[in-house]
Amino acid sequence: MQYGLLGRKLSHSLSPQIHALLGTYPYALFEREEPALPAFFGDKQLAGFNVTIPYKTQAYAACDARSETATRIGAVNTVIRRPDGTLFGDNTDYFGFCQMADRCGVTFQGKKVLILGSGGASRMVQVVCKDRGAREIIVVSRSGKNDYGHLHLHRDADILVNATPVGMYPNNLEAPVDLQQFPNLCAVLDLIYNPLRTALLLQAEALKIPCCNGLRMLVAQALRSAELFTGHPIALTKIDEICQTIEATQRNVILIGMPGCGKSTVAKALAEQLHRRVLDTDTMIEDADGRTIPQIFEAQGEAFFRALETAACEEAGKQQSVIIATGGGAVLSERNRAALKQNGVVIYLKKELTALATDGRPLSKDIEALQSIYQTRKGIYETYADGIIPVDPDVFVTTERVISCICSL
Ligand code: NAP
């Protein structure tokens, strides 16, 4: 009996990993172009399958019968082959989105909800909002009367849901709207889960608005699909368990701190311990530019270097499951801070100024220079970091401290 996921481009899919944590059935990825769909739907070897962009409506049409939820939404994301060979379609995204909203403490009853995007996921969110008693549901689309030029008419929105791909990998750091336009917001739900924090969610966090990414929805819809595949109920506690496992494997560890505090050395040791790749933003700059950092400073000055550094932070921050060592001044820029935080936990390596290495570092020529740099950066390091670790002369002691800190976050 074979199960799996149907879609067009699936290389970044987390579904095989999630289904492996949910059951023991074989689960494969089926990348198909549209002309291949009839043969796929007719393949009797397939006992059941999930469907993702862009085939949820085609799968709906191919089913012989559908659940009431799938019928109301007009799309299916889960199909099972019944004993007589016919196809039954359901929409477990509905359950997934409800789980996500519940986790964020969102109640729709009596609320005005703004849903960005008018595609398949938006239709599912609209049905949930109706079922849960929302007072007003506005679908914001690039066309029609509720387009992005008329957002000022909806300043009173209580809940905002992003059901567009804006901000999704590889177009990280793009946000579909500026949340400051909506002073009444009590929740922001973003269906995207790569990156773990989209630019929209970073804005929500900065404004202290409760928010949630789409990972819980992805895991919860998979759990409900697995129940349909196997016919056995699965405890809902599995959702938290799997979300934690996936977040722990996907998230980056970002090391920040004064120049010469040991970020590159600790990053290498951490990478070895955690079996991860290291991205060192200074090395990325030197590799891309072909000159050393002192040469870049000498020839073109600090502003030029900082622009290269922002490009390196954006590239590194997009990746997942990596250790990122940053230059000491990388966190001075708000854009760099957002780029690095979108997929990771930030650890500040704190070391006595007199013990900092100064070789090959254009800005840390003497102790006075270091003290002056430290005064301007100290506050940013401390408020931006998720954890602060004192650097030990023994790199392995520091590494162990970092690992126990990230496990506790
Ligand atoms: P879809 O059917 O392609 O619809 C996306 C909608 O977003 C479009 O209909 C469009 O609406 C809008 N849109 C597309 N490109 C845009 C752009 N550049 N700027 C502004 N708006 C744009 O996709 P979907 O299946 O609804 O999925 C939407 C998002 O939800 C995706 O990011 C997907 O990954 C995510 N999702 C997550 C889960 C999960 O389990 N977490 C499940 C399903 C989907 P207008 O034409 O009306 O503007």
Side-chain angles (χ1 to χ4, degrees), residues 242-384:
I242 295 176
C243 285
Q244 279 163 16
T245 304
I246 289 182
E247 273 195 0
T249 48
Q250 298 297 109
R251 74 182 176 184
N252 300 330
V253 179
I254 297 109
L255 301 179
I256 64 165
M258 285 290 284
C261 72
K263 298 178 295 280
S264 301
T265 312
V266 174
K268 280 185 197 133
L270 263 179
E272 227 163 80
Q273 285 258 40
L274 300 175
H275 309 289
R276 305 252 185 127
R277 206 157 52 94
V278 175
L279 292 177
D280 187 315
T281 57
D282 282 351
T283 310
M284 289 168 76
I285 294 166
E286 291 183 338
D287 287 350
D289 188 85
R291 290 175 291 180
T292 65
I293 288 172
Q295 284 169 342
I296 297 170
F297 261 77
E298 179 73 29
Q300 278 162 296
E302 184 172 352
F304 182 82
F305 167 77
R306 294 290 172 211
L308 297 180
E309 187 173 56
T310 293
C313 288
E314 288 181 6
E315 189 49 40
K318 266 186 187 185
Q319 310 306 317
Q320 295 191 320
S321 307
V322 294
I323 311 291
I324 303 175
T326 59
V331 297
L332 293 175
S333 140
E334 198 180 331
R335 182 147 183 108
N336 295 358
R337 292 198 294 274
L340 294 166
K341 196 102 183 199
Q342 59 181 321
N343 275 315
V345 285
V346 177
I347 302 294
Y348 169 26
L349 295 181
K350 200 169 178 182
K351 194 171 180 181
E352 284 297 314
L353 291 192
T354 50
L356 295 173
T358 53
D359 53 305
R361 292 174 169 84
L363 296 179
S364 20
K365 291 195 168 57
D366 51 41
I367 187 72
E368 283 77 31
L370 280 173
Q371 254 154 0
S372 148
I373 294 172
Y374 182 61
Q375 284 318 314
T376 45
R377 296 183 186 173
K378 178 177 177 282
I380 297 178
Y381 288 148
E382 287 173 359
T383 49
Y384 178 57

Side-chain angles (χ1 to χ4, degrees), residues 66-360:
R66 300 150 199 100
S67 70
E68 193 202 329
T69 308
T71 306
R72 291 172 65 217
I73 297 167
V76 307
N77 78 323
T78 307
V79 178
I80 52 168
R81 193 173 299 282
R82 295 186 290 195
D84 63 359
T86 57
L87 295 177
F88 174 80
D90 201 350
N91 191 311
T92 68
D93 283 339
Y94 180 102
F95 172 75
F97 180 69
C98 290
Q99 284 291 317
M100 170 184 175
D102 291 346
R103 177 62 177 198
C104 197
V106 178
T107 48
F108 292 96
Q109 184 68 41
K111 301 278 171 47
K112 173 166 178 170
V113 188
L114 221 53
I115 305 170
L116 310 182
S118 65
S122 168
R123 285 202 303 278
M124 175 278 297
V125 173
Q126 291 167 46
V127 173
V128 172
C129 291
K130 261 181 222 141
D131 289 354
R132 292 195 163 195
R135 180 184 88 243
E136 196 178 352
I137 301 166
I138 304 292
V139 176
V140 177
S141 172
R142 289 167 297 175
S143 54
K145 69 179 168 65
N146 287 315
D147 66 8
Y148 291 83
H150 290 88
L151 291 175
H152 57 280
L153 300 176
H154 305 297
R155 273 178 64 77
D156 57 342
D158 300 299
I159 298 168
L160 186 136
V161 182
N162 179 31
T164 77
V166 179
M168 185 166 76
Y169 179 89
N171 300 314
N172 302 46
L173 296 180
E174 285 177 13
V177 293
D178 177 356
L179 293 180
Q180 295 196 61
Q181 298 175 86
F182 310 104
N184 290 355
L185 283 181
C186 58
V188 174
L189 301 171
D190 195 332
L191 269 46
I192 294 170
Y193 49 85
N194 181 6
L196 294 166
R197 290 185 185 97
T198 56
L200 190 73
L201 293 183
L202 287 167
Q203 275 187 48
E205 283 184 1
L207 295 167
K208 306 211 179 322
I209 304 168
C211 60
C212 188
N213 69 17
L215 181 61
R216 194 176 174 83
M217 171 174 162
L218 181 76
V219 172
Q221 65 76 27
L223 178 139
R224 196 34 55 95
S225 298
E227 290 180 332
L228 288 166
F229 292 159
T230 63
H232 299 300
I234 303 173
L236 292 187
T237 50
K238 266 275 182 205
I239 300 174
D240 275 331
E241 220 178 89
I242 295 176
C243 285
Q244 279 163 16
T245 304
I246 289 182
E247 273 195 0
T249 48
Q250 298 297 109
R251 74 182 176 184
N252 300 330
V253 179
I254 297 109
L255 301 179
I256 64 165
M258 285 290 284
C261 72
K263 298 178 295 280
S264 301
T265 312
V266 174
K268 280 185 197 133
L270 263 179
E272 227 163 80
Q273 285 258 40
L274 300 175
H275 309 289
R276 305 252 185 127
R277 206 157 52 94
V278 175
L279 292 177
D280 187 315
T281 57
D282 282 351
T283 310
M284 289 168 76
I285 294 166
E286 291 183 338
D287 287 350
D289 188 85
R291 290 175 291 180
T292 65
I293 288 172
Q295 284 169 342
I296 297 170
F297 261 77
E298 179 73 29
Q300 278 162 296
E302 184 172 352
F304 182 82
F305 167 77
R306 294 290 172 211
L308 297 180
E309 187 173 56
T310 293
C313 288
E314 288 181 6
E315 189 49 40
K318 266 186 187 185
Q319 310 306 317
Q320 295 191 320
S321 307
V322 294
I323 311 291
I324 303 175
T326 59
V331 297
L332 293 175
S333 140
E334 198 180 331
R335 182 147 183 108
N336 295 358
R337 292 198 294 274
L340 294 166
K341 196 102 183 199
Q342 59 181 321
N343 275 315
V345 285
V346 177
I347 302 294
Y348 169 26
L349 295 181
K350 200 169 178 182
K351 194 171 180 181
E352 284 297 314
L353 291 192
T354 50
L356 295 173
T358 53
D359 53 305

